[in-house]
Amino acid sequence: MDSTGYGDWIRDFETARRERAGQGDPDWRTGVPLHPAIRRSVQRFQVGEDGDGAELITKAEAAGDAEYASAVRMFVAEERNHARLLALLLASGGAPTIGSHWSDRIFVTLRRALGLRLELLVLMIAEVVALRYYRALRDGGEDALTREVAGRVLADEERHVPFHCHRLRRALRPLPAPARVLVTSGWRAALAAACLVVAVDHGPALRRLGVGRGRFAVEVVRSSGPIAASMR
């Protein structure tokens, strides 16, 4: 990826958009009712994907980099598509979406109260947790449609994390090296705490998916080391 600007990221998002358009939606007619634990878990993640992203777009535009703001709008569009896919997955099995969940309200409140750099650090907590969650749902889902939807979302999330790392690396660069280490160490500690909450909240679903709370938390925390190094 371009080490200075966001042209490569824009092209990457645009390529993914064209591929989605060519691929079309999954065959929703193949859906089956989800196990109650997985249904509740997917409902909660769907709420988290369903934010409008207006605050992030506004902050990105205020940063004064038109290419970055354009890339952020494309990122937000992909997140909205995730919410749509998860809502249709639920509907295909006869389950509704839910209006809100306490964990999402906390994340949204924190993100909106902060500047762009700190908002991205909070957002990255959710993104890194989502990487492991959607991989578990893809690998352990009990029907083909669930595995397909999870795989599509996961493919996007695997691009989102390095995209945000790119921006955070530039945002943290002016800080002295010890300060960068302090920031990323604090981020890892916050991620570990958030991950434990998610592991408890989604424990029944994780067990059903063959992962379990402990393994989920350990693997998320372990994955954060290289990501924090990339931010620095």
Side-chain angles (χ1 to χ4, degrees):
M1 288 294 176
D2 185 348
S3 62
T4 56
Y6 293 91
D8 285 346
W9 289 109
I10 291 172
R11 286 185 285 275
D12 190 47
F13 279 116
E14 181 59 27
T15 296
R17 186 197 65 78
R18 289 195 301 268
E19 289 175 351
R20 285 194 301 272
Q23 185 180 27
D25 266 8
D27 184 356
W28 302 113
R29 295 170 299 176
T30 64
V32 297
L34 298 173
H35 182 276
I38 296 176
R39 182 194 69 231
R40 288 190 293 270
S41 179
V42 171
Q43 286 171 325
R44 294 167 190 174
F45 266 83
Q46 193 276 336
V47 168
E49 300 277 8
D50 202 25
D52 62 11
E55 286 283 336
L56 180 58
I57 291 172
T58 298
K59 291 173 185 176
E61 291 174 342
D65 185 329
E67 279 193 336
Y68 177 62
S70 180
V72 165
R73 285 191 289 271
M74 292 177 172
F75 158 73
V76 170
E78 288 193 349
E79 292 289 294
R80 290 170 179 165
N81 186 55
H82 296 171
R84 183 186 70 86
L85 290 173
L86 293 174
L88 289 170
L89 173 64
L90 290 165
S92 71
T97 58
I98 58 177
S100 64
H101 187 255
W102 62 266
S103 60
D104 181 60
R105 290 195 297 271
I106 291 173
F107 268 102
V108 170
T109 299
L110 283 173
R111 286 173 51 191
R112 289 180 176 176
L114 302 170
L116 177 60
R117 182 167 62 187
L118 290 177
E119 174 164 1
L120 288 178
L121 287 168
V122 174
L123 176 61
M124 278 286 284
I125 291 174
E127 294 284 278
V128 174
V129 169
L131 279 179
R132 186 63 188 94
Y133 176 79
Y134 288 119
R135 189 163 77 250
L137 192 62
R138 181 199 63 186
D139 296 345
E142 297 173 344
D143 65 277
L145 181 60
T146 297
R147 293 192 296 271
E148 180 180 356
V149 170
R152 292 190 184 203
V153 176
L154 177 63
D156 288 341
E157 298 291 2
E158 288 174 338
R159 291 184 295 102
H160 292 174
V161 167
F163 168 62
H164 295 309
C165 278
H166 179 93
R167 180 66 188 190
L168 285 165
R169 187 161 54 249
R170 297 181 67 185
L172 297 176
R173 189 177 298 151
L175 299 177
R180 293 198 300 272
V181 171
L182 183 63
V183 169
T184 54
S185 297
W187 174 79
R188 290 192 71 192
L191 170 65
C195 178
L196 287 174
V197 173
V198 172
V200 171
D201 194 33
H202 295 261
L206 294 172
R207 284 195 299 273
R208 188 80 186 180
L209 294 171
V211 178
R213 290 186 175 104
R215 178 180 163 194
F216 179 82
V218 167
E219 291 183 359
V220 170
V221 172
R222 185 180 297 151
S223 74
S224 69
I227 294 170
S230 178
M231 291 182 197
R232 291 195 294 270

